[in-house]
């Protein structure tokens, strides 16, 4: 397949703890091409969210390097990394991080408006309809259920058509039917726009729809990356 969009080389993360330094990610390398889909699986505490944050440039590694859309992230300052993220990345957090002062529609419109898109309202409305929330546009996050907030977060992450969509447990709060719908949507966008998917998931069905899969055990990569 096409050119590589995301690479990690000898990525590690060490954090201080009361017992001394704690290695939460050990020398991990991977390479993803445009349009790939990767599932990251592993037990709670194995380092999945840590890895996702490093790959998306939200956090800096203790060692190694991430290259996203041709740019090495370690040499960039926080503003430059923020610009790369705005241009290339969508992120669905484990805790949705919606803005409480904005309603569902405004939350999804925000990245589009920051991007200067004139069709922000139309596109945000369409995405919310696609995740089944056409009747909840003016609800604030507080007035939405956990699963509904999850779906708003997914619509927001897709809004600006990112090259790479990172999602931490995208179906974690959803019943199996809604989860399946969201999985379908993720792979539709993967097919339609060539969006690369990097998903942390405990959902076996979702994991097995991805072309590639890695398993973490205590911060170590234990499953092969190749299909
Ligand atoms: N900033 C930090 N300081 C100290 N320890 C941390 C820090 N961030 C993460 N950890 C530890 O690193 C380990 C990996 O955390 P991480 O959040 O990546 O796990 P996870 O695989 O996403 O788990 P879950 O499935 O429960 O979300 C955990 O044991 C956690 O306590
Ligand atoms: Mg996690």
């Amino acid at each position: 397949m096409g050119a590589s969009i995301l690479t990690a080389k000898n990525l590690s993360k060490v954090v201080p703890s009361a017992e001394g330094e704690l290695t939460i990610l050990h020398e991990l390398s991977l390479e993803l091409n445009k349009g790939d889909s990767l599932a990251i699986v592993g037990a709670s505490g194995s380092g999945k969210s840590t890895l996702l944050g490093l790959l998306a440039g939200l956090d800096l590694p203790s060692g190694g390097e991430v290259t996203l859309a041709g740019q090495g992230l370690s040499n960039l300052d926080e503003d430059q990394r923020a610009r790369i993220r705005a241009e290339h990345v969508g992120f669905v957090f484990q805790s949705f991080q919606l803005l409480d002062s904005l309603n569902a529609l405004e939350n999804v419109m925000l990245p589009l408006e920051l991007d200067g898109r004139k069709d922000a309202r139309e596109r945000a409305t369409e995405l919310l309809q696609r995740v089944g929330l056409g009747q909840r546009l003016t609800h604030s996050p507080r007035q939405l259920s956990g699963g509904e907030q999850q779906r708003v977060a997914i619509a927001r992450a897709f809004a600006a058509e990112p090259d790479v969509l990172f999602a931490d447990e995208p179906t974690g709060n959803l019943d199996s039917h809604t989860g399946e719908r969201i999985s379908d949507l993720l792979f539709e966008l993967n097919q339609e726009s060539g969006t690369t998917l990097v998903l942390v998931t405990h959902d076996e069905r979702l994991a097995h729809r991805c072309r590639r899969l890695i398993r973490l055990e205590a911060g170590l990569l234990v499953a092969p990356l190749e299909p």
Side-chain angles (χ1 to χ4, degrees):
M1 224 197 275
S4 102
I5 183 83
L6 178 67
T7 63
K9 199 154 187 285
N10 302 330
L11 210 57
S12 68
K13 184 73 181 178
V14 180
V15 297
S17 79
E19 291 79 40
E21 291 199 324
L22 180 69
T23 302
I24 55 179
L25 207 63
H26 299 262
E27 303 263 323
L28 186 147
S29 299
L30 60 83
E31 176 167 6
L32 291 178
N33 289 331
K34 224 177 159 348
D36 257 341
S37 50
L38 172 72
I40 302 168
V41 303
S44 177
S46 59
K48 306 180 299 294
S49 296
T50 302
L51 175 59
L52 210 62
L54 293 174
L55 293 176
L58 291 164
D59 188 14
L60 283 175
S62 311
E65 174 71 313
V66 173
T67 306
L68 180 62
Q71 300 255 16
L73 298 183
S74 307
N75 306 320
L76 305 179
D77 64 26
E78 179 51 44
D79 282 354
Q80 292 169 316
R81 289 206 309 279
R83 211 165 311 134
I84 300 280
R85 285 199 301 272
E87 212 175 305
H88 299 286
V89 167
F91 206 105
V92 181
F93 294 91
Q94 206 164 4
S95 55
F96 324 117
Q97 306 210 353
L98 298 174
L99 296 172
D100 277 327
S101 55
L102 303 181
N103 68 32
L105 180 63
E106 292 160 345
N107 262 285
V108 180
M109 283 172 65
L110 185 64
L112 293 164
E113 286 176 329
L114 292 175
D115 210 22
R117 286 183 53 163
K118 299 238 168 0
D119 64 343
R121 182 170 295 271
E122 292 71 37
R123 173 144 176 91
T125 304
E126 186 212 312
L127 278 162
L128 283 165
Q129 283 164 349
R130 281 180 83 169
V131 298
L133 292 177
Q135 307 302 316
R136 296 286 186 276
L137 300 181
T138 59
H139 284 227
S140 82
R142 253 188 287 271
Q143 298 166 324
L144 296 169
S145 73
E148 288 170 342
Q149 290 178 49
Q150 177 95 323
R151 287 184 277 156
V152 174
I154 289 169
R156 181 182 60 182
F158 266 122
E161 295 167 274
D163 292 319
V164 187
L165 181 93
F166 295 93
D168 205 339
E169 291 285 357
T171 60
N173 294 281
L174 306 175
D175 62 84
S176 65
H177 174 74
T178 310
E180 195 71 6
R181 255 182 83 184
I182 292 299
S183 298
D184 289 345
L185 177 67
L186 291 170
F187 284 94
E188 269 166 45
L189 289 153
N190 171 252
Q191 299 282 314
E192 278 170 26
S193 320
T195 304
T196 304
L197 301 177
V198 182
L199 312 175
V200 167
T201 186
H202 287 111
D203 178 343
E204 293 270 328
R205 277 165 79 182
L206 177 56
H208 287 98
R209 287 178 77 169
C210 291
R211 215 173 70 78
R212 305 167 79 174
L213 183 142
I214 59 174
R215 185 176 304 278
L216 294 181
E217 267 176 30
L220 276 166
L221 196 163
V222 295
L225 190 60
E226 296 314 319

